[in-house]
Amino acid sequence: MDRRSFIKHASIGGLGAAAASTLAAPAIAQSNPKVTWRLTSSFPKSLDTIYGGAEVLSKYVSEATDGNFQIQVFAAGEIVPGLQAADATSAGTVEACHTVAYYYWGKDPTWALGSAVPFALNARGMNAWHYHGGGIDMFNEFLAAQGLIGFPGGNTGVQMGGWFRKEIKTVADMQGLKMRVGGFAGKVMERLGLVPQQLAGGDIYPALEKGTIDAAEWVGPYDDEKLGFYKVAPYYYYPGWWEGGPTVHAMFNKAAFDGLPKAYQSLLRTACQATDANMLQKYDYLNPSAIKRLVAAGAKLSPFSPEILSACFDKANEVYAEMEAANPTFKKIWGSIKAFRAEYYLNAQIAEYNYDTFMMIQQRNGKV
C-alpha cells in the first residue's frame, strides 16, 4: 500500500472510530443514570472493618458506574441511631442501611436467622447456605413484608464470647450478670440467670466503665481492641457460640431498589457479594496480631467451660422448639439452616478439621 492510500484508509478508520465513540456516549449515559442514595450504618466510624464495609460497597458501585451511582455513607447516629437503621430504610428515610439483622429480633425472631443464631453455622457455612442453599431468597421473602430487600454484605467470622469483669467458670457464675449481648442469644442466656442488655457498639464501653453492665460481647480481637474493653473487663472468653458466622447485611428500601435499572440492581448484588468476601478476609488478616496485642495489654483469655457450652446448647434448642411451634416463617427458614448444618458439620470433620488441627499443632510446636 502506497503512502497516499495508507493515509486515506487510516483517516476513514479514525473517523469511524470517533463516530462510534460519539454515538456510544449517549447509550452509556442512558444506561448509567445519575442516582444518589444515602446509607445509614449501624456502626461507628472508629470500627474501620465493619463500618468500612459500607464504604467498600459505595466505592465498588461508584467505580463501576463512572461515579453515576453514588451511595453516601453515614455512621450510626448521624441520621438515626444504629439500632434503627433497618427501620429508617423501610420507612424511606434513607434508601439503604448496613446492619446486622438480629438487631431487630424483638419484632420477629425470624430477623435473626438472616445473620446468626446460637449454635448454627460458621462463616463459610452461612455463606454456603445464603448463596447456594436458598438462604438469600428465603430471607428476602421475609424482608419483602418489611418493605426491604437485602444481600449479605460482610461477615466477621466466629466471634469471641465477650469481656467479663469476673471469671465465669460454671453456669452458677452467670446468675444475675448484666451482659450486652446481641440478637436473641440473650433469650437463651436469660434461662440460665443472665440479664441480657442490647446496646449499640458505641455505647458499650461507657456502660462497662460505669458498671451499668457486668459483661459485653462485641465482635473479636481487632474491633474489641479499638473499643478498649480490656481496660475495664479483663476476662476474655471464647467462642461466641451465638455468632458462629454472623452475616452483616446491606439492606435496601424495596421500592427504591425495584425502581433502579436492572443493571444497577445486578451491580448491587455483585458489589454486596464482593463486600461480603472483603470484610471476612480483612478480619482474618487483622485478628491474629490484635489478639497478641490484647494479651500483652492484660487480657486474660479463657474458653467457656464444657458445662456452660452444653447448658447453653440445650437451652437454645428449647427456645428453637418454642419458636418453631409459634412462627411458621421462622420454622421454614430455621428448618433449612438446620438441615444444612447437619451436612456441613459432617463434611467439616473430614479434610478441613484434620488439616487445620494438624497445622495448629505445628504452630504450637513452633514449626510454623
Side-chain angles (χ1 to χ4, degrees):
M1 183 181 290
D2 62 28
R3 180 174 176 272
R4 213 175 266 181
S5 177
F6 174 81
I7 293 173
K8 178 181 177 182
H9 283 84
S11 299
I12 292 171
L15 287 171
S21 176
T22 304
L23 289 170
I28 292 170
Q30 188 176 11
S31 64
N32 287 343
K34 293 282 186 182
V35 174
T36 301
W37 276 8
R38 297 193 303 168
L39 179 152
T40 184
S41 173
S42 284
F43 316 108
K45 288 183 179 179
S46 58
L47 300 177
D48 61 295
T49 304
I50 196 164
Y51 168 81
E55 294 183 321
V56 169
L57 174 64
S58 174
K59 176 175 178 286
Y60 289 162
V61 169
S62 177
E63 288 179 349
T65 61
D66 292 327
N68 286 315
F69 190 174
Q70 293 289 330
I71 299 177
Q72 301 169 343
V73 179
F74 296 86
E78 291 185 338
I79 297 178
V80 295
L83 299 183
Q84 295 176 21
D87 298 324
T89 307
S90 176
T93 305
V94 294
E95 292 83 7
C97 66
H98 195 232
T99 189
V100 186
Y102 58 51
Y103 287 156
Y104 315 99
W105 80 275
K107 301 173 185 290
D108 184 326
T110 308
W111 278 94
L113 295 174
S115 53
V117 291
F119 300 104
L121 292 159
N122 64 15
R124 282 183 61 179
M126 197 66 185
N127 277 333
W129 175 74
H130 269 307
Y131 293 109
H132 299 284
I136 291 174
D137 291 340
M138 275 187 280
F139 193 53
N140 272 329
E141 287 178 16
F142 169 74
L143 288 182
Q146 329 299 323
L148 297 166
I149 186 169
F151 305 102
N155 201 304
T156 66
V158 61
Q159 296 192 0
M160 293 292 283
W163 300 87
F164 293 75
R165 289 179 171 274
K166 66 176 186 178
E167 289 185 272
I168 306 296
K169 295 182 177 180
T170 68
V171 171
D173 293 331
M174 298 173 70
Q175 295 290 322
L177 272 181
K178 292 176 290 183
M179 180 178 179
R180 185 275 179 193
V181 57
F184 71 78
K187 191 172 183 68
V188 175
M189 293 186 180
E190 197 171 34
R191 298 190 177 204
L192 297 171
L194 185 141
V195 183
Q197 310 286 314
Q198 187 144 308
L199 299 171
D203 299 328
I204 301 172
Y205 186 91
L208 271 175
E209 187 176 36
K210 294 173 185 176
T212 307
I213 57 175
D214 305 303
E217 63 82 32
W218 179 233
V219 178
Y222 181 72
D223 284 343
D224 292 6
E225 180 187 29
K226 282 179 169 290
L227 294 181
F229 299 143
Y230 63 93
K231 299 174 185 176
V232 288
Y235 297 98
Y236 199 20
Y237 281 86
Y238 60 90
W241 46 264
W242 50 91
E243 294 186 85
T247 298
V248 182
H249 267 85
M251 295 182 189
F252 308 103
N253 178 278
K254 193 171 187 309
F257 181 86
D258 289 345
L260 289 173
K262 295 296 183 185
Y264 278 10
Q265 292 179 6
S266 179
L267 171 60
L268 277 178
R269 293 189 192 95
T270 302
C272 284
Q273 188 167 359
T275 301
D276 186 23
N278 182 76
M279 184 185 292
L280 182 59
Q281 293 155 4
K282 190 171 182 182
Y283 273 117
D284 283 346
Y285 187 78
L286 294 172
N287 277 330
S289 55
I291 194 68
K292 290 192 287 186
R293 291 192 300 269
L294 284 169
V295 171
K300 298 175 173 62
L301 277 176
S302 184
F304 284 123
S305 67
E307 175 194 341
I308 289 175
L309 288 175
S310 294
C312 290
F313 182 79
D314 291 341
K315 293 298 180 185
N317 285 332
E318 288 179 10
V319 172
Y320 287 137
E322 292 170 8
M323 290 180 175
E324 286 178 296
N327 189 322
T329 305
F330 182 95
K331 181 178 181 179
K332 174 186 175 182
I333 300 178
W334 176 232
S336 175
I337 294 173
K338 277 198 301 183
F340 180 61
R341 180 182 63 173
E343 296 297 309
Y344 181 79
Y345 283 111
L346 172 64
N347 182 64
Q349 295 174 51
I350 307 170
E352 293 283 350
Y353 174 78
N354 281 278
Y355 177 75
D356 286 349
T357 301
F358 176 81
M359 292 304 296
M360 290 171 191
I361 293 170
Q362 307 318 303
Q363 193 277 335
R364 288 192 176 189
N365 290 336
K367 295 182 178 180
V368 296

